[in-house]
Amino acid sequence: MSVTNIDPEIIRLLKGSGARMTQKRQRILEALSSFDRPATAEEVRERAGLAPSDLVTVYRNLEAFQKVQILQRLPLENGTHLFELTAPGEHYHHLICRHCHKAERLDVCLSKSMEAKAKAKGFSQISHLLEVYGVCEDCRA
Amino acid sequence: MSVTNIDPEIIRLLKGSGARMTQKRQRILEALSSFDRPATAEEVRERAGLAPSDLVTVYRNLEAFQKVQILQRLPLENGTHLFELTAPGEHYHHLICRHCHKAERLDVCLSKSMEAKAKAKGFSQISHLLEVYGVCEDCRA
DNA sequence: ATTATTGCAAACCCTTTGCAACTTA
DNA sequence: TAAGTTGCAAAGGGTTTGCAATAAT
């Protein structure tokens, strides 16, 4: 029950940032890692076994996770977001189904070329977004 | 005053979709085309010389423009959006300053390879998002 | 003890919607 | 006159914030 399947490195990073390991935080982490696709905040809350009113806590934790770069936030076309645990410092790009949010990672990434180009133009604190959206076979009307 | 600098093709497309050319719509189009960068809905409203309460009208028009594919909506990292007129049916990718929204178009686009890959995986109605964010030289602290 | 986290409640803010009045074609 | 558009006012809905109570180190 209290045994976690969370990557120790993730726990180390969180503690290193001054964070404490609460039961809810642990549950949220476990919930996140149990998904095989990026999930909404609400889905995370539910899978973590938290009450609806705990959605705030979920958001606060997601923010904390993002700060230590173990979580990625993906924008959907409707203005909402999906969240996904990442290897520390990594980020991914996806092919995402607009309906069921099933997603698979794409093996493309522009980090190098893009960041170089952006830096050459005087930009700093560079990040980028690359996502492909569609409707998957199962969700096709 | 009533002379518009709007691409006739755009007007043709709008009319073809059943839209009517009202004064406000025209002003919104002109405002959009006057920007040298993607703009927020609020910025469009202001530049169009519309009252704050007309922001609704701006949004409704932006939606109409998007439908005929002469406008692109770009998500920012904070959950809001920028809007930009496009050549009919086209779309662009950008290097955008998080602070001033200054943007330049990137000469990369994944349409072909990505859409092919996505189709091969059974996806339909494919679209994609590719934006690079940073802080430009002028906005650097 | 000290500092982080949670709980509750409410605010935020961009964006959307309903419906009646008003234009455009 | 028929259909699209605007005005007004309000709701939506994901996300954030303030502050006191609580839990972790």
Side-chain angles (χ1 to χ4, degrees):
Chain A
M1 218 55 162
S2 74
V3 175
T4 125
N5 350 349
I6 309 302
D7 179 355
E9 175 68 4
I10 279 182
I11 294 180
R12 201 186 60 70
L13 274 169
L14 278 171
K15 293 199 168 162
S17 80
R20 295 170 184 182
M21 283 310 296
T22 66
Q23 193 179 112
K24 292 196 173 175
R25 173 160 293 160
Q26 204 164 304
R27 283 209 201 164
I28 292 168
L29 279 170
E30 283 166 358
L32 276 167
S33 68
S34 80
F35 282 97
D36 62 339
R37 55 171 181 78
T40 64
E42 173 60 23
E43 286 169 336
V44 172
R45 178 201 65 73
E46 188 169 21
R47 181 155 311 181
L50 301 179
S53 71
D54 284 323
L55 187 56
V56 205
T57 297
V58 171
Y59 274 110
R60 281 196 270 229
N61 275 278
L62 294 174
E63 191 190 359
F65 300 162
Q66 235 185 323
K67 259 189 205 130
V68 295
Q69 304 195 63
I70 56 168
L71 183 103
Q72 175 172 200
R73 172 188 276 214
L74 293 85
L76 291 180
E77 292 167 315
N78 66 5
T80 66
H81 302 269
L82 299 179
F83 301 88
E84 178 185 26
L85 278 187
T86 66
E90 298 289 314
H91 75 268
Y92 316 111
H93 303 299
H94 310 77
L95 170 59
I96 309 172
C97 175
R98 272 189 279 267
H99 283 110
C100 69
H101 299 165
K102 188 189 309 158
E104 56 184 285
R105 293 186 185 161
L106 300 174
D107 57 355
V108 283
C109 183
L110 316 156
S111 300
K112 289 102 194 172
S113 60
M114 284 299 101
E115 309 233 338
K117 201 175 285 190
K119 258 179 204 144
K121 294 185 189 296
F123 278 68
S124 53
Q125 301 169 52
I126 301 155
S127 68
H128 67 275
L129 191 56
L130 165 51
E131 302 296 331
V132 181
Y133 308 95
V135 179
C136 78
E137 222 154 11
D138 299 340
C139 291
R140 179 178 296 163
Chain B
M1 217 53 162
S2 75
V3 175
T4 125
N5 352 348
I6 308 300
D7 178 355
E9 174 67 4
I10 280 183
I11 294 179
R12 201 187 58 72
L13 274 169
L14 279 171
K15 292 200 170 163
S17 79
R20 295 173 183 180
M21 283 311 294
T22 66
Q23 193 180 110
K24 292 196 174 176
R25 173 161 293 159
Q26 205 163 304
R27 283 209 201 163
I28 292 168
L29 279 171
E30 284 167 357
L32 275 167
S33 67
S34 80
F35 282 99
D36 62 339
R37 56 170 181 77
T40 65
E42 173 60 23
E43 287 169 334
V44 172
R45 177 200 66 72
E46 189 170 21
R47 181 156 310 181
L50 301 180
S53 72
D54 283 324
L55 187 56
V56 204
T57 297
V58 171
Y59 274 111
R60 282 196 270 229
N61 275 279
L62 293 175
E63 190 190 2
F65 300 162
Q66 234 185 325
K67 259 189 204 129
V68 295
Q69 304 194 64
I70 56 168
L71 183 103
Q72 176 173 202
R73 172 189 277 216
L74 291 86
L76 291 180
E77 293 168 316
N78 67 4
T80 66
H81 302 269
L82 299 180
F83 301 87
E84 177 185 26
L85 278 189
T86 67
E90 298 289 314
H91 74 268
Y92 316 111
H93 303 299
H94 310 78
L95 170 59
I96 310 172
C97 175
R98 272 189 279 267
H99 283 111
C100 69
H101 299 165
K102 189 189 309 160
E104 56 185 285
R105 293 187 185 161
L106 300 173
D107 57 355
V108 283
C109 183
L110 316 154
S111 299
K112 289 100 193 171
S113 60
M114 283 300 100
E115 308 233 337
K117 202 176 282 190
K119 259 178 202 143
K121 295 185 188 296
F123 278 67
S124 53
Q125 303 169 52
I126 300 155
S127 69
H128 67 275
L129 192 57
L130 166 50
E131 302 296 333
V132 181
Y133 308 96
V135 178
C136 79
E137 222 154 13
D138 299 338
C139 291
R140 178 178 297 163

